[in-house]
Coordinates of all heavy atoms in Angstrom, one line a residue:
M1 N 83.6 161.7 115.1 CA 82.8 161.2 114.0 C 83.2 160.0 113.3 O 84.5 160.0 112.9 CB 82.4 162.4 113.0 CG 81.5 161.9 111.9 SD 81.2 163.3 110.8 CE 79.8 164.2 111.7
T2 N 82.5 158.9 113.2 CA 83.0 157.7 112.4 C 82.7 158.0 110.9 O 81.9 158.9 110.6 CB 82.3 156.5 112.9 OG1 80.8 156.6 112.7 CG2 82.5 156.4 114.4
C3 N 83.2 157.1 110.2 CA 82.8 157.0 108.7 C 81.4 156.9 108.4 O 80.9 157.5 107.6 CB 83.7 155.9 108.0 SG 85.5 156.2 108.1
T4 N 80.7 156.0 109.2 CA 79.3 155.7 109.1 C 78.6 157.0 109.4 O 77.6 157.5 108.6 CB 78.9 154.7 110.0 OG1 79.7 153.5 109.8 CG2 77.4 154.3 109.6
E5 N 78.9 157.8 110.4 CA 78.3 159.0 110.7 C 78.5 160.0 109.7 O 77.6 160.8 109.2 CB 78.8 159.5 112.1 CG 78.2 158.7 113.2 CD 78.9 159.0 114.6 OE1 80.1 159.5 114.5 OE2 78.4 158.7 115.7
F6 N 79.7 160.0 109.2 CA 80.1 161.0 108.1 C 79.2 160.8 107.0 O 78.6 161.7 106.5 CB 81.6 160.8 107.7 CG 81.9 161.5 106.4 CD1 82.3 162.8 106.4 CD2 81.9 160.8 105.2 CE1 82.7 163.4 105.3 CE2 82.3 161.3 104.1 CZ 82.6 162.8 104.1
L7 N 79.0 159.5 106.5 CA 78.1 159.2 105.3 C 76.7 159.6 105.6 O 76.1 160.0 104.6 CB 78.3 157.7 105.0 CG 79.6 157.3 104.3 CD1 79.8 155.8 104.3 CD2 79.6 157.9 102.9
S8 N 76.3 159.4 106.8 CA 74.8 159.7 107.0 C 74.6 161.2 107.0 O 73.5 161.7 106.8 CB 74.4 159.1 108.3 OG 75.0 159.7 109.4
K9 N 75.7 162.0 107.2 CA 75.5 163.4 107.2 C 75.8 164.1 105.8 O 75.6 165.3 105.6 CB 76.5 164.1 108.2 CG 76.4 163.6 109.6 CD 75.2 164.0 110.3 CE 75.1 163.5 111.7 NZ 73.8 162.9 112.1
L10 N 76.4 163.2 104.9 CA 77.0 163.8 103.7 C 76.0 164.5 102.8 O 76.2 165.7 102.4 CB 77.6 162.7 103.0 CG 78.6 163.2 101.8 CD1 79.7 164.2 102.3 CD2 79.3 162.0 101.1
T11 N 74.8 163.9 102.6 CA 73.8 164.6 101.7 C 73.2 165.8 102.3 O 73.0 166.8 101.7 CB 72.7 163.6 101.4 OG1 72.1 163.0 102.6 CG2 73.2 162.5 100.4
D12 N 73.0 165.8 103.7 CA 72.6 166.9 104.4 C 73.6 168.1 104.3 O 73.4 169.2 104.3 CB 72.3 166.6 105.9 CG 70.9 165.9 106.1 OD1 70.2 165.9 105.0 OD2 70.8 165.4 107.0
Y13 N 74.9 167.6 104.3 CA 76.0 168.6 104.2 C 75.9 169.5 102.9 O 76.0 170.6 102.9 CB 77.3 167.9 104.4 CG 78.5 168.8 104.1 CD1 79.1 169.6 105.2 CD2 79.1 168.9 102.9 CE1 80.1 170.4 105.0 CE2 80.3 169.7 102.7 CZ 80.8 170.5 103.8 OH 81.8 171.3 103.5
F14 N 75.7 168.7 101.9 CA 75.6 169.4 100.5 C 74.3 170.1 100.3 O 74.2 171.0 99.6 CB 75.9 168.3 99.4 CG 77.3 168.0 99.2 CD1 77.8 166.6 99.6 CD2 78.3 168.9 98.8 CE1 79.2 166.4 99.5 CE2 79.6 168.6 98.8 CZ 80.1 167.3 99.1
D15 N 73.3 169.7 101.1 CA 72.0 170.4 101.0 C 71.9 171.6 101.9 O 70.9 172.2 102.0 CB 70.8 169.3 101.2 CG 70.6 168.5 100.0 OD1 71.0 168.9 98.9 OD2 70.0 167.4 100.2
D16 N 73.0 171.7 102.7 CA 72.9 172.9 103.6 C 71.9 172.7 104.8 O 71.3 173.6 105.2 CB 72.7 174.3 102.9 CG 73.9 174.7 102.2 OD1 75.1 174.3 102.6 OD2 73.8 175.4 101.2
H17 N 71.7 171.4 105.1 CA 70.8 171.1 106.2 C 71.5 170.9 107.5 O 70.8 170.5 108.5 CB 70.0 169.9 105.9 CG 68.9 170.1 104.7 ND1 68.4 169.1 104.0 CD2 68.5 171.3 104.3 CE1 67.6 169.7 103.0 NE2 67.6 170.9 103.1
L18 N 72.8 171.0 107.6 CA 73.4 170.7 108.8 C 73.7 171.9 109.7 O 73.9 173.0 109.2 CB 74.8 170.1 108.5 CG 74.9 168.6 108.0 CD1 76.4 168.2 108.0 CD2 74.0 167.7 108.9
E19 N 73.7 171.6 110.9 CA 74.0 172.7 111.9 C 75.5 172.9 112.0 O 76.2 172.0 111.6 CB 73.5 172.4 113.3 CG 72.0 172.0 113.2 CD 71.4 171.8 114.7 OE1 72.1 171.9 115.6 OE2 70.2 171.5 114.6
A20 N 75.9 174.2 112.4 CA 77.3 174.6 112.3 C 78.2 173.6 112.9 O 79.3 173.3 112.4 CB 77.4 176.0 112.9
D21 N 77.8 173.1 114.1 CA 78.7 172.2 114.7 C 79.0 170.8 114.0 O 80.0 170.2 114.1 CB 78.4 172.0 116.3 CG 76.9 171.5 116.4 OD1 76.1 171.6 115.5 OD2 76.7 170.8 117.5
L22 N 77.9 170.4 113.4 CA 77.9 169.2 112.6 C 78.8 169.5 111.3 O 79.6 168.6 110.9 CB 76.7 168.7 112.2 CG 75.8 167.8 113.2 CD1 74.4 167.5 112.8 CD2 76.6 166.5 113.5
I23 N 78.7 170.6 110.7 CA 79.5 170.9 109.6 C 81.1 170.9 109.9 O 81.8 170.4 109.3 CB 79.1 172.3 109.1 CG1 77.8 172.2 108.4 CG2 80.2 172.8 108.0 CD1 77.3 173.6 108.0
A24 N 81.3 171.4 111.2 CA 82.6 171.4 111.8 C 83.1 169.9 111.9 O 84.3 169.6 111.6 CB 82.8 172.1 113.0
D25 N 82.3 169.0 112.4 CA 82.6 167.7 112.5 C 82.9 167.0 111.2 O 83.8 166.2 111.1 CB 81.4 166.9 113.2 CG 81.3 167.1 114.8 OD1 82.3 167.8 115.3 OD2 80.4 166.7 115.4
V26 N 82.0 167.2 110.1 CA 82.2 166.7 108.8 C 83.6 167.1 108.3 O 84.4 166.3 107.8 CB 81.1 167.1 107.9 CG1 81.4 166.8 106.5 CG2 79.8 166.4 108.3
K27 N 83.9 168.4 108.4 CA 85.2 168.9 107.9 C 86.4 168.3 108.6 O 87.3 168.1 108.0 CB 85.2 170.4 108.0 CG 84.2 171.1 106.9 CD 84.3 172.6 106.9 CE 83.4 173.2 105.8 NZ 83.3 174.7 105.9
A28 N 86.2 168.2 110.0 CA 87.3 167.6 110.8 C 87.6 166.2 110.4 O 88.6 165.7 110.2 CB 87.0 167.7 112.3
H29 N 86.4 165.4 110.1 CA 86.6 164.0 109.6 C 87.4 163.9 108.3 O 88.2 163.1 108.2 CB 85.2 163.3 109.6 CG 85.3 161.9 109.3 ND1 85.7 160.9 110.3 CD2 85.3 161.2 108.2 CE1 85.7 159.8 109.7 NE2 85.5 159.8 108.5
V30 N 87.0 164.7 107.3 CA 87.6 164.5 106.0 C 89.1 164.9 106.1 O 89.8 164.4 105.3 CB 86.9 165.3 104.8 CG1 85.6 164.7 104.6 CG2 86.8 166.8 105.1
K31 N 89.5 165.7 107.1 CA 90.8 166.1 107.3 C 91.6 164.9 107.7 O 92.8 164.8 107.4 CB 91.0 167.2 108.2 CG 91.0 168.6 107.6 CD 91.2 169.8 108.5 CE 91.0 171.1 107.8 NZ 90.8 172.1 108.9
K32 N 91.1 164.1 108.4 CA 91.9 162.9 109.1 C 91.6 161.6 108.3 O 92.2 160.7 108.6 CB 91.7 162.8 110.6 CG 90.3 162.5 111.0 CD 90.3 162.5 112.5 CE 88.9 162.4 113.0 NZ 88.4 161.1 113.3
C33 N 90.6 161.6 107.5 CA 90.2 160.4 106.8 C 90.2 160.5 105.3 O 89.3 161.1 104.8 CB 88.9 159.9 107.3 SG 88.3 158.4 106.6
S34 N 91.3 160.0 104.6 CA 91.5 160.3 103.3 C 90.4 159.6 102.4 O 90.0 160.0 101.3 CB 92.9 159.8 102.8 OG 93.0 158.4 103.0
H35 N 89.9 158.5 102.9 CA 88.8 157.8 102.1 C 87.6 158.6 102.1 O 86.9 158.8 101.0 CB 88.4 156.4 102.9 CG 89.6 155.5 103.0 ND1 90.5 155.2 102.1 CD2 90.1 154.9 104.2 CE1 91.4 154.4 102.5 NE2 91.3 154.2 103.8
C36 N 87.2 159.2 103.2 CA 86.0 160.1 103.2 C 86.2 161.4 102.5 O 85.3 161.9 101.9 CB 85.5 160.3 104.7 SG 84.9 158.9 105.4
E37 N 87.4 161.8 102.4 CA 87.7 162.9 101.6 C 87.4 162.7 100.1 O 86.9 163.5 99.5 CB 89.2 163.3 101.8 CG 89.6 164.5 101.2 CD 91.1 165.0 101.4 OE1 91.8 164.1 101.8 OE2 91.4 166.1 101.0
V38 N 87.9 161.5 99.6 CA 87.6 161.1 98.3 C 86.1 161.0 98.0 O 85.6 161.5 96.9 CB 88.3 159.8 97.9 CG1 87.8 159.2 96.6 CG2 89.8 159.9 98.0
V39 N 85.4 160.4 99.0 CA 83.9 160.3 98.8 C 83.3 161.7 98.7 O 82.5 161.9 97.9 CB 83.4 159.5 100.0 CG1 81.8 159.6 100.1 CG2 83.8 158.0 100.0
M40 N 83.7 162.6 99.6 CA 83.2 163.9 99.6 C 83.4 164.6 98.3 O 82.5 165.2 97.7 CB 83.7 164.8 100.7 CG 83.1 166.2 100.8 SD 83.8 167.1 102.1 CE 82.5 166.9 103.3
D41 N 84.6 164.4 97.8 CA 85.0 165.1 96.5 C 84.1 164.5 95.4 O 83.7 165.2 94.5 CB 86.5 164.7 96.2 CG 87.1 165.7 95.3 OD1 86.8 167.0 95.5 OD2 87.8 165.3 94.3
T42 N 84.0 163.2 95.3 CA 83.2 162.5 94.3 C 81.8 162.9 94.4 O 81.2 163.2 93.3 CB 83.3 160.8 94.5 OG1 84.6 160.6 94.5 CG2 82.5 160.2 93.4
T43 N 81.3 163.0 95.5 CA 79.9 163.4 95.8 C 79.7 164.8 95.3 O 78.7 165.1 94.6 CB 79.5 163.3 97.2 OG1 79.9 161.9 97.7 CG2 78.0 163.6 97.4
R44 N 80.6 165.7 95.6 CA 80.5 167.1 95.2 C 80.5 167.2 93.6 O 79.6 167.9 93.1 CB 81.7 167.9 95.7 CG 81.6 169.4 95.3 CD 82.8 170.2 95.7 NE 82.9 170.3 97.2 CZ 83.8 169.9 98.0 NH1 84.9 169.3 97.5 NH2 83.7 170.1 99.3
K45 N 81.4 166.5 93.0 CA 81.4 166.4 91.5 C 80.1 165.9 91.0 O 79.6 166.4 90.0 CB 82.5 165.6 91.0 CG 83.9 166.4 91.2 CD 85.1 165.4 90.7 CE 86.4 166.1 91.1 NZ 87.4 165.2 91.2
T46 N 79.7 164.8 91.6 CA 78.4 164.1 91.0 C 77.2 165.1 91.2 O 76.4 165.3 90.3 CB 78.0 162.9 91.9 OG1 79.2 162.1 91.8 CG2 76.8 162.2 91.4
I47 N 77.1 165.8 92.3 CA 76.0 166.8 92.6 C 76.1 167.9 91.6 O 75.2 168.4 91.0 CB 76.1 167.3 94.0 CG1 75.6 166.1 94.9 CG2 75.2 168.5 94.2 CD1 75.8 166.4 96.4
S48 N 77.3 168.4 91.3 CA 77.4 169.5 90.3 C 77.0 169.1 89.0 O 76.4 169.9 88.2 CB 78.9 170.1 90.3 OG 79.8 169.2 89.8
I49 N 77.3 167.8 88.6 CA 76.8 167.3 87.3 C 75.3 167.3 87.2 O 74.7 167.8 86.3 CB 77.4 166.0 87.0 CG1 78.9 166.1 86.7 CG2 76.7 165.3 85.8 CD1 79.7 164.8 86.7
Y50 N 74.7 166.8 88.3 CA 73.2 166.7 88.4 C 72.6 168.1 88.3 O 71.7 168.3 87.7 CB 72.8 166.0 89.7 CG 72.7 164.5 89.5 CD1 73.7 163.7 89.7 CD2 71.4 163.9 89.3 CE1 73.7 162.3 89.6 CE2 71.3 162.6 89.2 CZ 72.5 161.8 89.3 OH 72.3 160.4 89.2
R51 N 73.3 169.1 89.0 CA 72.8 170.4 89.0 C 72.8 171.1 87.7 O 71.9 171.7 87.3 CB 73.5 171.3 90.2 CG 72.9 170.9 91.5 CD 73.5 171.7 92.6 NE 72.8 171.4 93.9 CZ 73.4 171.6 95.0 NH1 74.6 172.1 95.2 NH2 72.8 171.3 96.1
E52 N 74.0 170.8 87.0 CA 74.1 171.5 85.7 C 73.0 170.9 84.8 O 72.6 171.7 83.8 CB 75.4 171.0 85.1 CG 76.6 172.0 85.6 CD 77.9 171.4 85.2 OE1 78.1 170.7 84.2 OE2 79.0 171.9 85.9
N53 N 72.6 169.7 85.0 CA 71.6 169.1 84.1 C 70.2 169.3 84.6 O 69.2 168.8 84.1 CB 71.9 167.6 83.8 CG 73.1 167.4 83.1 OD1 73.1 167.7 81.8 ND2 74.2 166.9 83.6
E54 N 70.1 170.1 85.7 CA 68.8 170.3 86.3 C 68.0 169.0 86.7 O 66.8 169.0 86.5 CB 67.9 171.3 85.5 CG 68.6 172.7 85.3 CD 67.7 173.6 84.5 OE1 66.6 173.2 84.2 OE2 68.3 174.7 84.1
L55 N 68.7 168.0 87.0 CA 68.2 166.8 87.4 C 68.4 166.6 88.9 O 68.5 165.4 89.3 CB 68.7 165.6 86.6 CG 68.5 165.6 85.2 CD1 69.3 164.6 84.5 CD2 67.0 165.2 84.9
Y56 N 68.9 167.5 89.6 CA 69.3 167.4 91.0 C 68.3 166.6 91.9 O 67.3 167.2 92.2 CB 69.7 168.6 91.7 CG 70.3 168.4 92.9 CD1 71.4 167.6 93.2 CD2 69.6 168.9 94.1 CE1 71.8 167.3 94.5 CE2 70.0 168.6 95.3 CZ 71.2 167.8 95.5 OH 71.6 167.5 96.8
E57 N 68.8 165.4 92.2 CA 68.1 164.7 93.3 C 69.1 163.6 93.6 O 69.4 162.8 92.8 CB 66.8 164.0 92.7 CG 65.9 163.4 93.8 CD 64.8 162.7 93.2 OE1 64.3 163.0 92.0 OE2 64.2 161.8 93.8
F58 N 69.5 163.7 94.8 CA 70.6 162.7 95.2 C 70.0 161.3 95.2 O 69.1 161.0 95.9 CB 71.1 163.1 96.6 CG 72.5 162.5 96.9 CD1 73.6 163.2 96.4 CD2 72.6 161.2 97.4 CE1 74.9 162.7 96.7 CE2 73.9 160.7 97.6 CZ 75.1 161.4 97.1
P59 N 70.6 160.5 94.3 CA 70.0 159.1 94.1 C 70.4 158.1 95.3 O 71.6 158.2 95.7 CB 70.6 158.6 92.8 CG 71.7 159.5 92.5 CD 71.7 160.8 93.4
D60 N 69.4 157.4 95.8 CA 69.8 156.5 96.8 C 70.6 155.5 96.5 O 71.5 155.1 97.3 CB 68.4 155.8 97.3 CG 67.5 156.8 98.1 OD1 68.1 157.8 98.6 OD2 66.4 156.4 98.4
A61 N 70.6 155.1 95.2 CA 71.5 154.1 94.7 C 73.0 154.5 94.8 O 73.9 153.8 95.2 CB 71.2 153.7 93.2
L62 N 73.1 155.7 94.5 CA 74.6 156.4 94.6 C 75.0 156.4 96.1 O 76.2 156.0 96.3 CB 74.6 157.8 93.9 CG 75.9 158.6 94.2 CD1 77.1 157.9 93.4 CD2 75.7 160.0 93.8
R63 N 74.1 156.7 96.9 CA 74.5 156.8 98.3 C 74.9 155.4 98.8 O 75.9 155.2 99.5 CB 73.4 157.5 99.2 CG 74.0 157.7 100.6 CD 72.9 158.5 101.3 NE 71.5 158.0 101.2 CZ 70.5 158.6 101.6 NH1 70.6 159.9 102.0 NH2 69.3 158.1 101.5
D64 N 74.1 154.5 98.4 CA 74.4 153.1 98.9 C 75.7 152.6 98.3 O 76.5 151.9 99.0 CB 73.3 152.2 98.3 CG 71.9 152.4 99.1 OD1 72.0 153.1 100.1 OD2 71.0 151.8 98.6
R65 N 76.0 152.9 97.1 CA 77.2 152.5 96.5 C 78.4 153.2 97.1 O 79.5 152.5 97.5 CB 77.2 152.9 94.9 CG 77.9 151.9 94.1 CD 77.5 152.1 92.6 NE 78.0 153.3 92.1 CZ 77.4 154.2 91.4 NH1 76.2 153.9 91.0 NH2 77.9 155.3 90.9
L66 N 78.3 154.5 97.5 CA 79.4 155.1 98.1 C 79.6 154.5 99.5 O 80.7 154.4 100.0 CB 79.1 156.6 98.3 CG 79.1 157.5 97.0 CD1 78.6 158.9 97.2 CD2 80.6 157.6 96.6
H67 N 78.5 154.3 100.2 CA 78.5 153.7 101.5 C 79.3 152.4 101.5 O 80.2 152.1 102.2 CB 77.1 153.6 102.0 CG 77.1 153.4 103.6 ND1 75.9 153.3 104.3 CD2 78.1 153.2 104.4 CE1 76.1 153.1 105.4 NE2 77.5 153.1 105.6
A68 N 78.9 151.5 100.6 CA 79.6 150.2 100.5 C 81.0 150.3 100.1 O 81.9 149.7 100.8 CB 79.0 149.4 99.3
A69 N 81.4 151.3 99.3 CA 82.8 151.4 98.9 C 83.6 151.9 100.1 O 84.7 151.4 100.4 CB 83.0 152.5 97.8
I70 N 83.1 152.9 100.8 CA 83.8 153.5 101.9 C 84.0 152.5 103.1 O 85.0 152.5 103.7 CB 83.3 154.9 102.3 CG1 84.3 155.7 103.1 CG2 82.0 154.7 103.2 CD1 85.4 156.2 102.4
M71 N 83.0 151.8 103.3 CA 83.1 150.8 104.4 C 84.0 149.8 104.2 O 84.9 149.3 105.0 CB 81.7 150.2 104.7 CG 80.7 151.2 105.4 SD 81.2 152.3 106.6 CE 81.5 151.3 108.0
K72 N 84.2 149.3 102.9 CA 85.2 148.4 102.5 C 86.5 149.0 102.7 O 87.4 148.3 103.3 CB 84.9 148.0 101.0 CG 85.3 146.6 100.7 CD 84.6 146.2 99.3 CE 85.8 145.9 98.3 NZ 85.2 145.7 97.0
K73 N 86.8 150.1 102.2 CA 88.1 150.8 102.4 C 88.5 151.0 103.9 O 89.6 150.7 104.1 CB 88.1 152.1 101.6 CG 88.2 151.9 100.1 CD 88.4 153.2 99.4 CE 88.3 153.0 97.9 NZ 88.3 154.4 97.2
C74 N 87.5 151.5 104.6 CA 87.8 151.9 105.9 C 88.1 150.6 106.7 O 89.0 150.6 107.6 CB 86.7 152.7 106.6 SG 86.7 154.4 106.0
S75 N 87.3 149.5 106.5 CA 87.6 148.4 107.3 C 88.9 147.7 107.0 O 89.6 147.1 107.8 CB 86.4 147.4 107.1 OG 86.4 146.9 105.7
K76 N 89.4 147.9 105.7 CA 90.7 147.4 105.4 C 91.8 148.1 106.1 O 92.8 147.6 106.4 CB 90.8 147.6 103.8 CG 90.7 146.3 103.0 CD 91.0 146.5 101.6 CE 90.1 145.7 100.6 NZ 90.2 146.2 99.2
S77 N 91.7 149.5 106.1 CA 92.8 150.3 106.6 C 92.8 150.2 108.2 O 93.8 150.6 108.8 CB 92.7 151.7 106.2 OG 91.5 152.3 106.7
N78 N 91.8 149.7 108.8 CA 91.8 149.7 110.3 C 92.5 148.5 110.9 O 92.4 147.4 110.4 CB 90.3 149.7 110.8 CG 89.8 151.1 110.8 OD1 90.5 152.1 110.6 ND2 88.5 151.3 110.8
Ligands
ZN1 ZN1 86.0 158.3 107.2

């Protein structure tokens, strides 16, 4: 799984929309990619804040921002 694929699966991962083998791929990716691990952690925290406030709806703007940030980091480290 690439960082781009990881990001495209991330919201589904938190929404429990992924199949078991994809969940395994996502988990395997964050184990070897520290940037995506941070993204996942940030996303989890963001979602829990949204849920606490009963405003849960994953904002496209946030996903775009995370995507831009991770692609910048990953391209630097490669
Ligand atoms: Zn990654």
Side-chain angles (χ1 to χ4, degrees):
M1 180 176 277
T2 65
C3 294
T4 308
E5 286 167 340
F6 168 83
L7 285 163
S8 72
K9 306 290 182 226
L10 192 59
T11 51
D12 284 342
Y13 175 83
F14 284 113
D15 282 340
D16 288 329
H17 289 161
L18 286 188
E19 302 185 6
D21 55 338
L22 278 172
I23 291 171
D25 283 352
V26 166
K27 286 182 176 171
H29 185 82
V30 292
K31 269 189 189 156
K32 63 187 172 89
C33 181
S34 58
H35 305 306
C36 287
E37 190 182 10
V38 171
V39 170
M40 180 181 263
D41 202 47
T42 306
T43 306
R44 180 184 290 119
K45 283 177 188 154
T46 305
I47 287 174
S48 69
I49 289 165
Y50 270 82
R51 283 184 176 154
E52 276 169 26
N53 290 294
E54 295 182 14
L55 290 169
Y56 179 65
E57 187 185 340
F58 201 87
D60 284 345
L62 172 66
R63 187 168 55 193
D64 289 350
R65 216 166 62 223
L66 287 169
H67 197 174
I70 196 72
M71 291 318 287
K72 211 164 117 192
K73 282 183 186 169
C74 287
S75 63
K76 258 187 216 164
S77 63
N78 282 341

